[in-house]
Amino acid sequence: MKKITLIHTVKSIYNSFPSLLEEAFGEKIKMTNIVDEILISNTLEKGEFTSWNKKRLLDDMRVAEEEDSDLLVVTCSSLTPYVLDMAKEIKKPVVTIDSAMCRKAAETGESILVLATAATTVGPTVDRINMELDRLGKKAKVVSSLRTDAMDALKSGDVENHDRILSEESLKYKGADVVVLAQASMASAKEGVEREGDWTVLTSPESCIEEVKEFYGKN
C-alpha cells in the first residue's frame, strides 16, 4: 500500500485533500496527516518565520522518516521556501503543493496573475514562479493581488462569498493569460474565475495530485 505523510496548516485542506488523493488513485492510501496551524498563526503574530518555527517544521517533516512513508507532501504554500531548504535533511522525497502549479504557470504564461487570500503566501508564490522563469530563461509579467477578506469569508464558512470576491478581483486583471490561485484553500473559486476571462486558472491541489501520480508512475 502507498504510504504518504502530509503536513497541513489549514483544517479545511486536511478535511479535503487526502480524499482527493485517494479519488485520483482509485485506491486506499495509508496517510499520516499532521495539522500544525501554529506554523502560520505564530508567523502572523511574530511577523516572520522564526527559528522556532523552522525547528517545528523540520520536526514535522521528520515524521515522514519515522513513518517510513514513500513521500512527504506539504500542503501549505506559505511554507514552500522553508520546506525546499530543509528537504536536503530529509531522507524521503518531498513535494510541496504549489511546485507543479508554479512550474506550469511559468511554462505557459506570458502575463501571470497570482491571487492570494493570505499575506504569507504572496511572496513565496511570486518568488517560486520567478525562479521557474529564470530556470527556463523566460521573461513574463507576474503581478499579485491579496484579498484577505476572502479568507475571512472562508473562515466564517461562507464559501460562496469567498469565491465571489476572488472572481470580482480577477476582473481587474483582464490582460492576464494565467491566473494562479495561490493557496489550496482557494480551489473552490476556480470555476468562477475561469468564467471571468480568457485565461488558464491553476490550482495547487489539482497540480500537486498530478505530481504525486507522476511520482508513483501513474498517469
Side-chain angles (χ1 to χ4, degrees):
M1 180 181 287
K2 297 175 178 65
K3 295 177 67 177
I4 301 175
T5 297
L6 301 101
I7 297 175
H8 316 278
T9 60
V10 179
K11 286 181 181 177
S12 62
I13 305 307
Y14 161 67
N15 290 332
S16 61
F17 190 69
S19 59
L20 290 175
L21 266 178
E22 288 191 329
E23 183 179 335
F25 277 90
E27 62 184 90
K28 290 291 291 182
I29 299 173
K30 180 175 175 58
M31 285 183 266
T32 300
N33 290 277
I34 302 169
V35 183
D36 197 343
E37 295 177 295
I38 293 174
L39 287 170
I40 295 302
S41 62
N42 185 264
T43 299
L44 291 171
E45 180 182 339
K46 301 294 185 182
E48 63 176 323
F49 200 74
T50 64
S51 57
W52 181 86
N53 275 317
K54 290 175 183 177
K55 181 180 182 302
R56 186 180 178 97
L57 173 59
L58 184 57
D59 287 344
D60 286 344
M61 292 173 66
R62 283 182 170 143
V63 171
E65 294 174 331
E66 293 298 322
E67 288 288 301
D68 196 28
S69 297
D70 307 322
L71 182 67
L72 167 62
V73 178
V74 182
T75 66
C76 178
S77 301
S78 298
L79 301 181
T80 292
Y82 312 104
V83 172
L84 295 176
D85 187 53
M86 295 175 186
K88 59 183 176 291
E89 300 186 45
I90 303 298
K91 295 176 182 177
K92 297 296 181 178
V94 178
V95 169
T96 60
I97 196 164
D98 58 341
S99 294
M101 176 180 68
C102 291
R103 281 198 300 271
K104 187 171 183 179
E107 290 167 355
T108 61
E110 300 295 334
S111 179
I112 303 166
L113 167 63
V114 175
L115 271 179
T117 62
T120 54
T121 306
V122 178
T125 304
V126 171
D127 289 347
R128 184 61 188 266
I129 293 172
N130 283 325
M131 184 181 77
E132 294 294 341
L133 288 168
D134 288 344
R135 179 182 61 82
L136 295 168
K138 177 181 173 182
K139 298 291 185 183
K141 180 182 179 182
V142 183
V143 298
S144 63
S145 177
L146 173 64
R147 291 297 300 264
T148 57
D149 53 338
M151 175 63 82
D152 293 338
L154 187 63
K155 286 181 176 179
S156 71
D158 192 347
V159 178
E160 182 178 350
N161 193 33
H162 166 272
D163 295 353
R164 178 191 59 77
I165 291 169
L166 294 175
S167 292
E168 291 179 355
E169 183 66 15
S170 71
L171 288 170
K172 301 176 184 177
Y173 302 89
K174 296 291 284 187
D177 56 7
V178 171
V179 179
V180 171
L181 300 182
Q183 294 137 243
S185 59
M186 300 169 67
S188 61
K190 180 180 180 180
E191 290 186 11
V193 174
E194 282 179 331
R195 289 193 293 267
E196 301 296 354
D198 183 20
W199 45 35
T200 299
V201 180
L202 302 177
T203 66
S204 54
E206 185 176 13
S207 301
C208 182
I209 287 170
E210 289 304 312
E211 187 169 12
V212 174
K213 289 172 70 175
E214 288 175 12
F215 171 81
Y216 284 108
K218 186 180 176 91
N219 298 320

